[in-house]
């Protein structure tokens, strides 16, 4: 039997075709990308991966490395030490804007280049080489396989990284970077040049969706408290100066890269990655944005979508008198049961007990309390679903 999720994904890919835009042209390797290449992968938190298109075609991770480098900085140094160097405020600026606090020089957030270069410097290690080796190994733990550098992208990027070089030196001048800015720049450029495919990216996103545990290897890569922190920053800052449009139209933590990829994370459910190299004016994949909007609407994936889950957390409740077990109680036990069975209630619960569901249960039990204390007989209730 065909899987309806696979059918659905193939159908929306066919319907959301070319959305316009231009392939990134600042280095020959990116400019030469075939604009019609495409892939979409969706990975569930239990490790099922749906794939459409060329899901094993490799390209550079670019800015989609930023949330993972930031996560590693947090893991290595702790939230407070990282916060002294890079803020968590949306800048509303383009990715390569020199967006720093005028008084402290602290970059606005780790998803724009100034903050991402700073985050690279916060990875543990005594040299750029050591920090890069640690970062690429770390990305691989999210992807579930060892990842490698695309060295032609790296040398091309490094030769033209004038703006990022300026940003790194400015951060050094402000005391935000402490070591050699050239070394950090080199590390950052290498991080952006790690080769991934869309399946890797979907699994990296799914690891974040799964509270930091890689769905297939089972490894707890990132502490759940840090996952929340990273996802928050992705939500407010991940799509640069289109962050507000993205949050309203799609509503999930995300990150894009100039190679044409976008990752999105639906906490507790799925990680999604799309690849299509034509970019909109914000530097986000145009077809990727269109597909995310479509999925979010069709499958009610918006984070703010109100689910009905908590309303029926108590599936049914009935008195023990009306549901005696098959155990044949005897003597004193039977006597106790006869005496109290109509004051003992069985609550059947279902669903994830998040705050609202747990509150509903507690309230039901509290409200039933006085009735039970005085009750001689109680009718069973079943909540409407
Ligand atoms: N290598 C690119 C840069 O730093 C990455 C930017 C991006 O993917 N948005 O300029």
């Amino acid at each position: 039997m065909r899987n309806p999720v696979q059918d659905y994904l193939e159908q929306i890919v066919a319907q959301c075709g070319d959305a316009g835009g231009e392939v990134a042209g600042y280095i020959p390797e990116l400019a030469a990308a075939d604009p019609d290449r495409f892939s979409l992968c969706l990975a569930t938190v239990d490790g099922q991966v749906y794939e459409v298109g060329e899901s094993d075609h490799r390209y550079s991770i670019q800015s989609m490395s930023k949330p993972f480098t930031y996560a590693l900085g947090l893991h290595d140094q702790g939230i407070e030490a990282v916060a002294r160097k890079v803020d968590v405020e949306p800048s509303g600026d383009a990715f390569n804007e020199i967006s720093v606090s005028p008084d402290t020089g602290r970059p606005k957030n780790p998803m724009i280049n100034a903050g991402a270069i700073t985050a690279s410097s916060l990875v543990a290690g005594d040299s750029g080489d050591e920090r890069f080796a640690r970062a690429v190994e770390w990305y691989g733990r999210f992807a579930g396989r060892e990842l490698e550098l695309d060295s032609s992208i790296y040398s091309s990027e490094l030769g033209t990284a004038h703006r990022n070089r300026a940003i790194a030196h400015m951060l050094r001048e402000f005391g935000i970077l402490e070591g050699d800015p050239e070394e950090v720049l080199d590390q950052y450029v290498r991080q952006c040049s790690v080769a991934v495919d869309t399946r890797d990216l979907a699994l990296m996103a799914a690891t974040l969706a799964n509270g930091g545990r890689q769905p297939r290897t089972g490894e707890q890569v990132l502490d759940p408290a840090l996952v929340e922190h990273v996802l928050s920053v992705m939500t407010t800052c991940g799509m640069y100066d289109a962050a507000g449009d993205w949050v309203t139209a799609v509503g999930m933590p995300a990150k894009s890269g100039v190679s044409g990829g976008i990752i999105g994370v639906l906490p507790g459910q799925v990680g999604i990655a799309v690849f299509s190299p034509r970019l909109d004016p914000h530097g986000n994949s145009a077809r990727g944005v269109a597909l995310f909007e479509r999925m979010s609407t069709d499958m009610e994936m918006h984070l703010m979508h109100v689910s009905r889950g908590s309303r029926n957390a108590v599936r049914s409740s009935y008195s023990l008198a009306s549901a005696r077990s098959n155990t044949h109680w005897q003597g004193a036990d039977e006597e106790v049961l006869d005496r109290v069975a109509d004051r003992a209630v069985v609550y059947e619960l279902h669903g994830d007990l998040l705050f609202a569901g747990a509150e509903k249960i507690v309230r039901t039990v509290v409200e039933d309390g006085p009735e039970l204390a005085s009750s001689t007989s109680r009718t069973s209730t079943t909540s409407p679903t």
Side-chain angles (χ1 to χ4, degrees), residues 24 26-27 29-30 59-69 95 113 116 139 153-154 157 164 188-196 201 240 255-261:
Y26 69 93
I27 54 169
E29 285 76 5
L30 288 179
Y59 45 91
S60 48
I61 188 170
Q62 298 293 352
S63 287
M64 292 176 286
S65 61
K66 289 172 180 172
F68 301 97
T69 310
F95 69 92
N113 290 8
Y139 304 161
I153 296 262
Y154 160 62
E157 290 260 359
N164 285 333
Y188 167 78
V189 170
R190 268 192 277 173
Q191 284 171 194
C192 290
S193 310
V194 168
V196 286
L201 289 171
Y240 312 122
K255 190 72 207 79
S256 60
V258 279
S259 48

Side-chain angles (χ1 to χ4, degrees), residues 68 71-72 74-76 134-135 137-145 203-204 206-208 210-224 226-227:
F68 301 97
L72 182 51
L74 292 168
H75 175 84
D76 285 348
R134 182 163 168 69
E137 192 265 336
W138 173 257
Y139 304 161
R141 285 158 71 181
F142 285 83
R145 74 173 183 93
L203 281 164
M204 291 173 83
T207 303
L208 293 174
N210 197 29
R213 186 180 293 279
Q214 217 280 359
R216 296 182 79 99
T217 65
E219 185 190 0
Q220 185 71 43
V221 185
L222 183 63
D223 183 282
L226 298 182
V227 172

Side-chain angles (χ1 to χ4, degrees), residues 299-317:
M299 300 195 280
E300 300 181 337
M301 286 176 152
H302 197 293
L303 270 188
M304 308 301 169
H305 181 76
V306 179
S307 86
R308 301 189 315 133
S310 59
R311 284 185 217 149
N312 46 33
V314 182
R315 184 162 53 192
S316 65
S317 66

Side-chain angles (χ1 to χ4, degrees), residues 99-269:
S99 212
V100 298
S101 151
D103 38 319
T104 59
R106 192 169 60 140
K108 288 278 172 59
N109 68 69
M111 300 296 125
I112 51 164
N113 290 8
I117 292 170
T118 305
S120 299
S121 77
L122 297 171
V123 171
D126 291 334
S127 64
D129 284 347
E130 269 185 38
R131 289 192 299 269
F132 171 71
R134 182 163 168 69
V136 73
E137 192 265 336
W138 173 257
Y139 304 161
R141 285 158 71 181
F142 285 83
R145 74 173 183 93
E146 233 173 84
L147 301 177
E148 281 168 12
L149 179 72
D150 178 329
S151 43
S152 61
I153 296 262
Y154 160 62
S155 43
S156 217
E157 290 260 359
L158 195 64
T160 53
H162 307 299
R163 194 178 177 94
N164 285 333
R165 174 166 283 115
I167 291 174
H169 281 266
M170 178 199 67
L171 292 169
R172 178 69 186 85
E173 161 66 19
F174 288 145
I176 297 292
L177 292 189
E178 286 169 15
D180 174 5
E182 288 294 326
E183 215 180 317
V184 181
L185 173 74
D186 183 273
Q187 177 201 345
Y188 167 78
V189 170
R190 268 192 277 173
Q191 284 171 194
C192 290
S193 310
V194 168
V196 286
D197 62 31
T198 307
R199 184 187 161 85
D200 294 329
L201 289 171
L203 281 164
M204 291 173 83
T207 303
L208 293 174
N210 197 29
R213 186 180 293 279
Q214 217 280 359
R216 296 182 79 99
T217 65
E219 185 190 0
Q220 185 71 43
V221 185
L222 183 63
D223 183 282
L226 298 182
V227 172
E228 272 179 29
H229 189 97
V230 171
L231 291 179
S232 305
V233 177
M234 288 170 74
T235 306
T236 52
C237 313
M239 300 300 275
Y240 312 122
D241 44 342
D245 273 348
W246 177 270
V247 169
T248 46
V250 180
M252 68 175 89
K255 190 72 207 79
S256 60
V258 279
S259 48
I262 302 178
I263 56 170
V265 177
L266 194 55
Q269 300 189 50

Side-chain angles (χ1 to χ4, degrees), residues 364-385:
T364 308
V365 173
V366 168
E367 282 170 2
D368 283 355
E371 192 197 330
L372 290 175
S374 60
S375 163
T376 48
S377 74
R378 185 177 188 282
T379 49
S380 90
T381 59
T382 301
S383 69
T385 48

